Amino acid sequence: MQVRGCETAIERTSGALPRKASGRIVQLDILRAIAILLVIAQHTPLRPRDAGRLQVFATVLQYRVGWTGVDLFFVLSGFLIGGLLMGEMKKRGKLDVRRFLIRRGLKIWPLYLIYVAYFSLFILITTHGATWKSVVTSDMVCLLQIQNYLPVDRGFLWSVAVEEHFYLLLPLVFLWITRRGIKGIHQTPAIAFGLMVICLGLRIATWQLNPHYRFYTFHAPSHLRMDSLMCGVWLAYLYHFRPDTIAWIRRHRPQLFAAGGILVAVATAMFGSSKPQYGVTIGFTMIMLGYGSIMMAFLFTPLDGLCRRPARLLASVGAFSYTIYLWHTDLGIRPAAWILARLPQSILPNAMHWTAGLVLSIVFAVTAGAAIATVCERPILALRDRLFPGNSAPL
């Protein structure tokens, strides 16, 4: 591995993690791919009632599991960003917050600005009654990264705001706890646990004050959802500084997979129950811990034999996950819906019609995201790496 110190901790357990030629860990990119595929599945153009014999499966995929793809992204982002910062501190003994924020900004903002400009023009051209004032107001909400508190035309951008808020907060926290030396980084587990408890407490208090579910009240606010990102940071701390724990994780991968799956399944069932207050409070905590367990178990799972080729293909999708996420509605879901609307439904049974919508959405979204990433994102990141090289290698 390229991050000094991190490799020694991992190698003291039982071997290095498999990587692509780019140095990326294949398992993490596969999990990114799973997360983005869940998001696309949630937004597929046909509803479960149109799925025929697949209605139960479609209901679980779209209404119970699909939306949790964002929660998986949160845990992954916390793990990766926390790992970058910890790797830099282990390598250099200090943290360059300015360089970190510049590099994060060049990763997130260029493509984000392009997308915001695109959907603003799209709304003006296609939406009856849309005015420059309404579009500019929506743009300002997105540019200020408060679209997770105020509704905008592309509601899925709420998660970008949560992550941006976290990217600003985390390096400041690390600066504070390491102000007297690198040993301060060992306060990370206590801070992570404290934030998890605070977020859960805030979710419970929010339900007590607003006992009716609303997306922008319970699901999207940063102060209620940052615990998932901090959970990833805590797992990154284990990865960097606790080889004994990593060794335990390697030995108990099946149990972690099982526990993680049960936690996610039970939590998503809570959201469909007659008492949603359990879902919007402890349910988010269970999903966070479930995906954290699955991520750590899968991180050390070998990809050998017949699994290697499809794993590499899935990992390639995960490498473009941010671009796919930005454009999956406009260049994935919409084209699929347009084709399905012109396809006589009598040609295909309902189950196949729904399946065609899902497959077309995935194919269009992945193809468009990969193309935009190749044309726009990669040149920007190459320029960023020349002008502002990282102080630690990415995981």
Side-chain angles (χ1 to χ4, degrees):
M1 294 178 66
Q2 295 161 305
V3 179
R4 184 182 303 171
C6 178
E7 180 172 6
T8 56
I10 297 303
E11 286 184 341
R12 282 198 296 269
T13 56
S14 60
L17 296 172
R19 292 171 173 273
K20 294 190 283 189
S22 62
R24 301 170 67 99
I25 296 176
V26 175
Q27 285 90 339
L28 296 182
D29 276 338
I30 291 174
L31 290 174
R32 284 193 186 99
I34 292 171
I36 192 60
L37 292 177
L38 286 174
V39 170
I40 296 171
Q42 182 199 8
H43 298 149
T44 190
L46 297 180
R47 299 297 92 190
R49 64 175 178 271
D50 303 316
R53 293 180 178 180
L54 295 177
Q55 183 171 349
V56 174
F57 171 76
T59 300
V60 172
L61 184 61
Q62 292 181 247
Y63 294 159
R64 297 289 178 265
V65 180
W67 61 268
T68 68
V70 173
D71 292 75
L72 178 53
F73 270 129
F74 284 163
V75 176
L76 284 165
S77 294
F79 180 78
L80 292 163
I81 298 305
L84 281 174
L85 294 172
M86 291 178 194
E88 178 178 345
M89 286 186 287
K90 290 174 69 174
K91 180 180 179 180
R92 304 176 66 244
K94 60 181 180 179
L95 186 63
D96 188 341
V97 173
R98 174 178 170 273
R99 182 176 293 266
F100 168 80
L101 293 177
I102 290 174
R103 286 179 58 81
R104 276 290 95 192
L106 290 173
K107 166 67 177 176
I108 300 297
W109 278 90
L111 289 176
Y112 181 75
L113 292 174
I114 291 171
Y115 180 73
V116 170
Y118 161 81
F119 82 65
S120 299
L121 292 174
F122 180 86
I123 291 169
L124 283 172
I125 294 171
T126 62
T127 304
H128 178 71
T131 64
W132 278 104
K133 182 178 179 180
S134 63
V135 170
V136 169
T137 300
S138 178
D139 287 351
M140 289 303 298
V141 170
C142 290
L143 294 177
L144 292 173
Q145 292 288 7
I146 53 174
Q147 68 270 18
N148 60 326
Y149 289 94
L150 300 173
V152 293
D153 294 297
R154 294 294 186 269
F156 65 87
L157 293 177
W158 71 272
S159 64
V160 180
V162 176
E163 295 206 17
E164 282 293 282
H165 299 161
F166 188 74
Y167 296 156
L168 292 173
L169 177 64
L170 183 62
L172 299 179
V173 171
F174 277 172
L175 274 182
W176 176 64
I177 64 177
T178 60
R179 64 194 185 280
R180 295 181 180 175
I182 189 65
K183 290 184 178 180
I185 200 67
H186 297 295
Q187 299 178 43
T188 299
I191 293 173
F193 179 76
L195 185 60
M196 293 176 196
V197 172
I198 289 171
C199 286
L200 176 59
L202 288 173
R203 289 197 291 265
I204 294 172
T206 302
W207 180 264
Q208 294 297 318
L209 295 173
N210 305 275
H212 298 285
Y213 177 80
R214 287 181 293 274
F215 183 83
Y216 285 96
T217 302
F218 293 100
H219 203 105
S222 295
H223 64 281
L224 303 182
R225 303 307 310 279
M226 277 193 181
D227 53 341
S228 294
L229 288 138
M230 199 64 203
C231 176
V233 175
W234 168 57
L235 296 175
Y237 170 82
L238 299 181
Y239 180 88
H240 278 266
F241 294 100
R242 290 291 180 262
D244 52 339
T245 304
I246 296 301
W248 184 92
I249 289 171
R250 285 182 181 274
R251 293 193 303 269
H252 295 87
R253 293 196 309 271
Q255 294 90 332
L256 285 172
F257 274 123
I262 291 171
L263 284 169
V264 173
V266 172
T268 54
M270 289 178 178
F271 284 86
S273 70
S274 59
K275 296 183 178 180
Q277 63 267 33
Y278 297 117
V280 298
T281 54
I282 191 64
F284 283 130
T285 301
M286 293 172 66
I287 291 171
M288 166 191 74
L289 296 175
Y291 276 138
S293 299
I294 291 171
M295 182 191 74
M296 294 304 286
F298 189 60
L299 185 62
F300 299 101
T301 298
L303 302 174
D304 298 323
L306 296 176
C307 294
R308 184 175 295 275
R309 188 165 296 178
R312 296 281 181 177
L313 177 62
L314 200 57
S316 298
V317 174
F320 301 121
S321 59
Y322 174 58
T323 314
I324 296 172
Y325 185 80
L326 286 180
W327 294 90
H328 78 276
T329 295
D330 295 87
L331 300 184
I333 308 299
R334 286 182 177 275
W338 186 88
I339 291 175
L340 290 177
R342 284 152 182 80
L343 181 67
Q345 192 166 351
S346 58
I347 294 178
L348 298 173
N350 285 349
M352 293 184 65
H353 200 70
W354 179 86
T355 302
L358 176 61
V359 172
L360 287 173
S361 298
I362 291 173
V363 170
F364 288 148
V366 170
T367 302
I372 293 171
T374 301
V375 173
C376 298
E377 184 181 40
R378 286 186 171 177
I380 293 170
L381 294 181
L383 178 63
R384 177 198 71 174
D385 291 339
R386 286 199 300 270
L387 297 177
F388 304 96
N391 289 324
S392 65
L395 288 174

